[in-house]
Amino acid sequence: MTHVLRVNPIACVGHGICAELLPELIEIDEWGYPIVDTRPVPPWLERETHRAVAACPVLALTLQHAERRK
Amino acid sequence: MSDTQAQRQRTTASDPPVGGSLRLLPPVQGVTERLSAHLARNGQARCRGTALVRAVGQAGLTGRGGAAFPTHVKLAAVAGASGRKAVIANGAEGEPASVKDAVLLRHVPHLVLDGLQLAAEAVDATEAYLYTGAWLTGWVRQVLAQRADDVPVTVIEAPPRFLSGQETAVVSRVSGGLSLPTFSPRRVSERGVNGAPTLVQNVETLAHLALIARHGPDWFRQLGTPAEPGTTLVTVNAGGRRTVTEVELGTALADVITAVGTAVLIGGYHGTWLPMTTALSLTLDNRALRRHHAALGAGVLAVLPRQACGLVETARVTRYLAAESAGQCGPCLNGLPRIAAAMAELAGPRPRRGTVQAVERWAGLVTGRGACHHPDGTARLVRSALTVFAVELGRHANGRCSATTHHPVLPLPRAEEMPLTDKDWL
């Protein structure tokens, strides 16, 4: 099943842990907020992606099924 | 201000002028169409329930609140949901340059309220709300008292915020919270007012729906273009006045804009500037506007007169949009004030080098990164200004400005009306 990363921009306060754990898909902008690659997560990054999602202190980062994207 | 005071103000001189009517607005203008006159002009609805959902789909009606989303898709989504359901008529009209929803509620409230009842019946909702500004709530309650509606309608006051009409903010306010946008993977048609599947429709959309229920989809398609059928209300801002006019979609913009000017802002403060010569060659429909990266939005057209500077006007609006940010999302909270400050610098003499590039970078950085489209819309406005007013940017770089007056053009609330605390969103 393909997944995509999604960030809840209201919940996100810019801890930046996600970008440290998953620099391949997440970079930090000049104000400290994540810029997330919203293309389907490649299979070789699934593990790191799940770790980044689990590490978000405010649960702002989520993984969704690609087809449920809004 | 009490409701009655506000009402008196609105019923007299401050009602915006109406420039033309086709279907929604009655031929005799300046007066409210009473229930008897409304029924005499429009008759009774003949098509209801699920048949109406189909008819609205055949008519090709799209939302008139700004997003132009197909109305029947939202109707069908809520109709297909189960349990307690709600319908909201959205007349928040937070856009300072738009008064078409207010005109509609003042002139033909029964058409809007019929649309609300028909929509509620079509999706099998047991709760209905009308959400509008403080100056209209008392008026709408008065009109409601004259009617015998099946679904009771609760009038909810929309705070005077730019974003108060944003769909999730509407649902939040009607649910008893602040009128702030929310973030949810579920659509409001799945989970809206206090969790109930909810249909949110602009008041003009509901008025069109009420007419489709009477005259059918073929009648609706007699005006407009095949891709975008029907008529639409526009607010033309020119010469310091806001005039509401009902036009066919596909009408030549040259027939709608008669004022002289150098550029036109299309679609409101989340919209796009176009040079006057370009605008006058186009038709008023999204298919034509899209080729120029513009959209009709909620039907705002604002003319920039020759004596005004487009950079100054855009800087004023951008400062307003930054102040009206809900401040919930990091990129919007950080980006919009920076964009506004840079636009103010560009609007003045001899801005620092690199300011245009900074605006472009920040515009790119905020786009798509908010819970709502406020950052995207603000970025769209400033980018179009940098393109359309490129020559003016050069003048400012040399310490000159083509404005011959400092009189502000685009309507904005006063600075002291900007939101500061939570109660400003109630």
Side-chain angles (χ1 to χ4, degrees), chain A residues 2 4 7 13 16 19-20 29-30 33-34 37-39 41 45-51 53 60 67-68 70:
Chain A
T2 40
V4 288
V7 63
V13 289
E20 272 178 43
D29 71 14
E30 57 191 89
Y33 292 89
D37 191 331
T38 52
R39 290 173 296 185
V41 175
L45 286 174
E46 285 270 352
R47 265 178 72 95
E48 286 82 352
T49 302
H50 280 283
R51 269 179 57 204
V53 166
E67 62 277 7
R68 261 197 68 90
K70 221 169 151 180

Side-chain angles (χ1 to χ4, degrees), chain B residues 230-411:
Chain B
T231 64
T232 193
L233 293 177
V234 293
T235 311
V236 181
N237 292 249
R241 281 158 70 90
R242 294 176 297 187
T243 309
V244 175
T245 305
E246 184 179 4
V247 296
E248 272 187 72
L249 285 160
T251 303
L253 263 169
D255 291 339
V256 185
I257 300 168
T258 50
V260 178
T262 51
V264 185
L265 178 61
I266 295 180
Y269 294 168
H270 277 173
T272 309
W273 285 106
L274 290 180
M276 184 59 95
T277 46
T278 309
L280 292 182
S281 71
L282 298 175
T283 52
L284 194 85
D285 55 275
N286 282 316
R287 182 176 277 194
L289 294 173
R290 204 176 296 130
R291 277 185 233 123
H292 296 268
H293 311 287
L296 198 47
V300 167
L301 301 170
V303 175
L304 184 75
R306 226 167 265 290
Q307 64 272 21
C309 169
L311 294 173
V312 171
E313 286 302 316
T314 307
R316 289 177 61 236
V317 173
T318 312
R319 188 181 61 166
Y320 161 76
L321 293 173
E324 288 286 334
S325 165
Q328 300 186 113
C329 305
C332 190
L333 176 70
N334 286 280
L336 264 50
R338 284 174 170 85
I339 292 172
M343 287 306 292
E345 185 169 340
L346 293 172
R350 300 190 194 281
R352 278 169 295 181
R353 277 166 172 275
T355 306
V356 169
Q357 289 74 18
V359 171
E360 279 165 356
R361 190 180 78 246
W362 287 325
L365 209 46
V366 299
T367 299
R369 294 182 62 215
C372 73
H373 292 304
H374 191 53
D376 312 49
T378 307
R380 186 181 310 124
L381 175 79
V382 298
R383 279 173 157 157
S384 76
L386 296 182
T387 308
V388 171
F389 305 123
V391 173
E392 189 65 22
L393 280 170
R395 281 196 202 103
H396 286 225
N398 293 319
R400 293 197 299 273
C401 173
S402 57
T404 53
T405 170
H406 285 291
H407 202 74
V409 174
L410 297 173

Side-chain angles (χ1 to χ4, degrees), chain B residues 175-215:
Chain B
S175 304
L178 305 176
S179 71
L180 294 169
T182 57
F183 178 88
S184 167
R186 312 271 297 269
R187 292 167 198 272
V188 300
S189 57
E190 297 172 60
R191 228 186 121 74
V193 175
N194 295 315
T198 301
L199 177 73
V200 182
Q201 293 289 359
N202 170 262
V203 289
E204 184 192 338
T205 314
L206 291 171
H208 285 293
L209 178 143
L211 289 177
I212 291 167
R214 290 168 159 93
H215 309 302

